[in-house]
Amino acid sequence: MWWPQHNLCFRHPIEEDYSSGDLEKKVSVAGSSTGRGSPAVTLVQLPSGQTVHVQGVIQTPQPSVIQSPQIQTVQVATIAETDESAESEGVIDSHKRREILSRRPSYRKILNELSSDVPGVPKIEEEKSEEEGTPPNIAAMAVPTSIYQTSTGQYTATGDMPTYQIRAPTTALPQGVVMAASPGSLHSPQQLAEEATRKRELRLMKNREAAKECRRRKKEYVKCLESRVAVLEVQNKKLIEELETLKDICSPKTD
DNA sequence: TGACCGACGCGTCATCCACG
DNA sequence: CGTGGATGACGCGTCGGTCA
């Protein structure tokens, strides 16, 4: 379970959608690390089947891979228990559930926090102009080249982590959405109603785009976590092997 | 072949939160 | 403090896989 907040502690039924077993099982590791001392190049296979060459080793001490640095885990778990008991009584309604489960920190925020802790985790960049190049601080992890095309812009991920570029909206509004008239020019209730409708349509349209973008970022975030898990698994395996080797060397010979 | 299921994407609403 | 962007929650439709 990847959820940044109540991972490992609690899974609410309504989160089933996002807890696809696929995500938890698809990451496989090729494990072709180079020898000791040399810069490790790790071949990691992502769920999509793509292989990722990961350079460098994440060395910063860190909590569990799937644990968020947020402290809310305990809080949410506690609340969740009351939630479950309430549910068993059949009292809880959707509104309550919303209140209880609402608001987790944004993926961008979480990822950026992770990246500040761990050099190997790239940041989800703020929206950039097309002219800007790839920032130097995201060169630690290689991700297959891909291009995301959204209605608001083209997202390119070339080599390293996805750095996405958003074109300035060339067409201000789609057909059917008319720019609002200035408030001073509104007179009749009908005009006011039309204005309200326009505003609503505009808001819905923007939210539609925002939701798409949010989902894209969410996927990116999950991919990033998967990559990180894969890297750490390789690392872990390597360390275990190293430990065994050292044990062999240090143990008194019996024969 | 139709029923069923899980995954996925989308649109919308509600809410949080940063910013001016 | 109002506003707008970000995002969780929810419901719905679609698609592909599986099974009787």
Side-chain angles (χ1 to χ4, degrees):
Chain A
M1 187 62 190
W2 297 100
W3 243 192
Q5 258 60 50
H6 27 108
N7 46 36
L8 303 178
C9 303
F10 169 72
R11 189 160 96 186
H12 195 279
I14 65 173
E15 288 176 4
E16 289 294 328
D17 262 11
Y18 298 115
S19 65
S20 66
D22 286 356
L23 284 182
E24 297 178 19
K25 290 172 186 168
K26 276 183 182 171
V27 174
S28 60
V29 174
S32 65
S33 303
T34 58
R36 271 176 240 156
S38 61
V41 177
T42 306
L43 200 61
V44 173
Q45 179 149 17
L46 294 177
S48 58
Q50 297 166 319
T51 52
V52 178
H53 297 267
V54 180
Q55 277 196 331
V57 175
I58 300 170
Q59 291 172 330
T60 308
Q62 55 197 294
S64 164
V65 176
I66 51 179
Q67 269 183 352
S68 153
Q70 319 285 330
I71 308 173
Q72 286 175 326
T73 303
V74 176
Q75 293 174 332
V76 173
T78 312
I79 294 169
E81 280 176 12
T82 63
D83 180 8
E84 276 187 337
S85 61
E87 208 168 28
S88 67
E89 293 167 16
V91 176
I92 192 161
D93 58 1
S94 65
H95 185 69
K96 241 181 182 173
R97 270 189 313 186
R98 276 188 180 218
E99 282 184 355
I100 290 168
L101 294 168
S102 66
R103 305 322 299 176
R104 301 177 180 97
S106 79
Y107 294 108
R108 195 188 309 212
K109 213 186 264 180
I110 295 168
L111 199 57
N112 287 344
E113 280 176 13
L114 286 175
S115 65
S116 64
D117 289 343
V118 181
V121 177
K123 292 191 177 190
I124 293 181
E125 292 298 308
E126 297 293 330
E127 296 164 2
K128 296 176 171 306
S129 68
E130 248 176 327
E131 289 78 28
E132 280 180 306
T134 305
N137 64 336
I138 60 169
M141 182 179 291
V143 169
T145 299
S146 57
I147 295 176
Y148 307 96
Q149 177 75 51
T150 72
S151 54
T152 54
Q154 186 183 51
Y155 298 84
T156 59
T158 50
D160 299 326
M161 253 325 265
T163 57
Y164 57 83
Q165 307 164 323
I166 296 189
R167 282 194 220 111
T170 50
T171 56
L173 291 172
Q175 288 182 345
V177 178
V178 186
M179 287 305 291
S182 64
S185 66
L186 296 175
H187 299 298
S188 67
Q190 189 189 354
Q191 278 177 318
L192 287 172
E194 283 176 4
E195 170 65 9
T197 305
R198 270 195 299 268
K199 277 187 178 174
R200 176 183 153 77
E201 283 175 358
L202 186 62
R203 181 168 52 81
L204 288 180
M205 187 194 71
K206 281 187 177 177
N207 188 243
R208 206 177 300 139
E209 293 302 315
K212 281 181 192 170
E213 191 54 30
C214 184
R215 287 176 181 124
R216 189 198 62 78
R217 274 195 296 266
K218 187 175 182 176
K219 284 179 75 176
E220 190 175 296
Y221 169 76
V222 169
K223 272 187 191 172
C224 185
L225 285 185
E226 287 174 342
S227 303
R228 195 171 160 202
V229 167
V231 168
L232 290 174
E233 279 176 348
V234 169
Q235 230 182 304
N236 191 40
K237 194 179 166 191
K238 209 177 141 193
L239 287 171
I240 288 172
E241 286 172 4
E242 201 174 327
L243 178 65
E244 292 302 320
T245 307
L246 288 173
K247 272 184 184 173
D248 285 347
I249 292 172
C250 294
S251 65
K253 287 173 184 167
T254 53
D255 51 323

